Amino acid sequence: MNPVRRRRLLWVMLLVLASGLATALVAMALQRNIAYLYTPSEVLRGDAGDHARFRLGGMVVKGSLQRAPGSLDAHFVVTDGDATLPVITSRILPDLFAEGTAVVATGRLQDGRFVAEEVLAKHDETYMPKEVADKMGQAHTKHDVPVPAPETY
């Protein structure tokens, strides 16, 4: 093989290697940022794993919200109609957060409680995130409990 072809082959191999490395690094970065949505029933069943970061979706149980005076700490319970899971957060809750409304929280399971890093609330009284509605509907169909379909726009 002459030197020109050898040099071209080397450059092509380096380019393929560099693009493969870049693809692998991007895939690893995206994998770490994925947060799957689970309902309290799925979390208690063990589907979410013990220390994995995930999203918890459901309804805030009425009468469960407790705030610590003088701090941002908040404790509340999320349900999917079949199971409940206590949630704690030290972050600011959204203005639309209220008991009896849909919520999606991102965080980790720790000592049987969900520690939320971020809490998202619905934007009006007729909205429930599609993923949460679908998951809650699946949970109720397993026990033959009818769940009204959420209104969508």
Side-chain angles (χ1 to χ4, degrees), residues 133-150:
D134 291 345
K135 294 259 184 177
M136 287 179 68
Q138 290 172 359
H140 287 290
T141 49
K142 291 178 186 173
H143 300 288
D144 297 318
V145 177
V147 175

Side-chain angles (χ1 to χ4, degrees), residues 2 14-15 20 24-25 39 46 49 60 64-65 70 72 78 91 102 114-115 119 125-126 128-129 143:
N2 68 30
L14 285 174
L15 182 65
L25 290 174
T39 62
V60 178
S64 68
L65 178 61
L72 295 176
V78 174
R91 305 289 173 108
F114 187 77
V115 179
V119 178
E125 72 247 4
T126 60
M128 179 182 291
H143 300 288

Side-chain angles (χ1 to χ4, degrees), residues 52-74:
R53 183 173 186 260
F54 62 94
R55 293 183 299 154
L56 175 68
M59 302 291 284
V60 178
V61 174
K62 289 187 179 188
S64 68
L65 178 61
Q66 298 174 352
R67 294 180 185 257
S71 75
L72 295 176
D73 292 346

Side-chain angles (χ1 to χ4, degrees), residues 25-121:
L25 290 174
V26 167
M28 285 174 40
L30 290 175
Q31 185 72 20
R32 271 191 243 140
N33 289 328
I34 291 176
Y36 296 102
L37 178 74
Y38 294 98
T39 62
S41 296
E42 293 171 328
V43 172
L44 295 175
R45 207 173 38 234
D47 294 349
D50 288 334
H51 300 290
R53 183 173 186 260
F54 62 94
R55 293 183 299 154
L56 175 68
M59 302 291 284
V60 178
V61 174
K62 289 187 179 188
S64 68
L65 178 61
Q66 298 174 352
R67 294 180 185 257
S71 75
L72 295 176
D73 292 346
H75 301 259
F76 57 93
V77 178
V78 174
T79 185
D80 61 0
D82 292 331
T84 60
L85 189 65
V87 177
I88 60 171
T89 186
S90 58
R91 305 289 173 108
I92 296 174
L93 293 174
D95 292 337
L96 297 173
F97 180 87
E99 296 174 340
T101 60
V103 67
V104 175
T106 305
R108 301 177 191 286
L109 194 61
Q110 183 177 10
D111 299 327
R113 296 182 301 184
F114 187 77
V115 179
E117 301 165 359
E118 179 183 26
V119 178
L120 304 173

